[in-house]
Amino acid sequence: MAQLQEQVNRFRPGDKAQVSFSRDGKNAVTTITFKNIDNSTALRSQKAMQVLGASFEELSNQKLKQMGLKNGVQITDLRSGKLMSAGIRKGFIITEINNKAISTIEEINKIISSVKGGVYIGGIYPNGQAAYYAFGLDD
């Protein structure tokens, strides 16, 4: 079991691997896709999740086009944190932070990890309502 866990820990959400197994006396091979705890292939940003109190999902090109957006990352879950305190609701699509376009969870993490003071977040709700929020990151 320890060897299996060691091998699994080498992969990240979205990675694919060939797995060989034996079932009912027959050997088989299949391809698996690793997912995170939210059952998504998106990378989870621990820093952003802890500070902001949220989980995020990168939007597909199809979803972006459907919404009329060039970029954006959607909030899929909110917990106690900076975003909830600022009044942001689940489903909000972050399109920019501090005037920088946001397309990936990693971009959110980079900005949140490097900013001193506060942030300015712009985006849109799925119903088309644009919204802007500003709040401090320092406690």
Side-chain angles (χ1 to χ4, degrees):
M1 191 63 177
Q3 289 175 323
L4 174 61
Q5 189 63 48
E6 183 181 336
Q7 291 299 315
V8 168
N9 286 340
R10 294 178 184 200
F11 295 93
R12 297 171 55 160
D15 288 349
K16 294 182 185 295
Q18 293 284 326
V19 177
S20 301
F21 60 95
S22 179
R23 182 175 292 154
D24 299 327
K26 296 180 182 178
N27 292 330
V29 177
T30 190
T31 300
I32 62 168
T33 302
F34 287 86
K35 295 185 177 184
N36 64 28
I37 197 166
D38 299 321
N39 198 30
S40 165
T41 57
L43 293 176
R44 297 181 70 194
S45 169
Q46 294 301 318
K47 175 73 174 175
M49 287 175 55
Q50 289 170 354
V51 172
L52 300 178
S55 295
F56 307 96
E57 178 177 79
E58 295 173 6
L59 299 176
S60 68
N61 288 335
Q62 180 183 5
K63 178 75 172 180
L64 289 170
K65 186 176 179 180
Q66 201 174 38
M67 296 284 304
L69 299 173
K70 293 180 181 176
N71 58 282
V73 173
Q74 189 164 36
I75 297 170
T76 57
D77 185 44
L78 273 176
R79 295 171 293 288
S80 180
K82 298 290 184 179
L83 295 180
M84 185 180 278
S85 295
I88 297 175
R89 298 183 312 272
K90 180 179 172 181
F92 184 69
I93 300 168
I94 298 172
T95 57
E96 64 178 294
I97 299 179
N98 292 348
N99 297 315
K100 293 180 184 166
I102 299 297
S103 297
T104 67
I105 296 168
E106 190 54 40
E107 290 170 345
I108 294 173
N109 191 47
K110 258 187 199 173
I111 292 172
I112 298 304
S113 297
S114 65
V115 166
K116 302 288 184 218
V119 295
Y120 171 78
I121 294 178
I124 189 168
Y125 285 96
N127 67 2
Q129 176 188 0
Y132 302 90
Y133 300 91
F135 53 86
L137 290 176
D138 299 330
D139 289 327

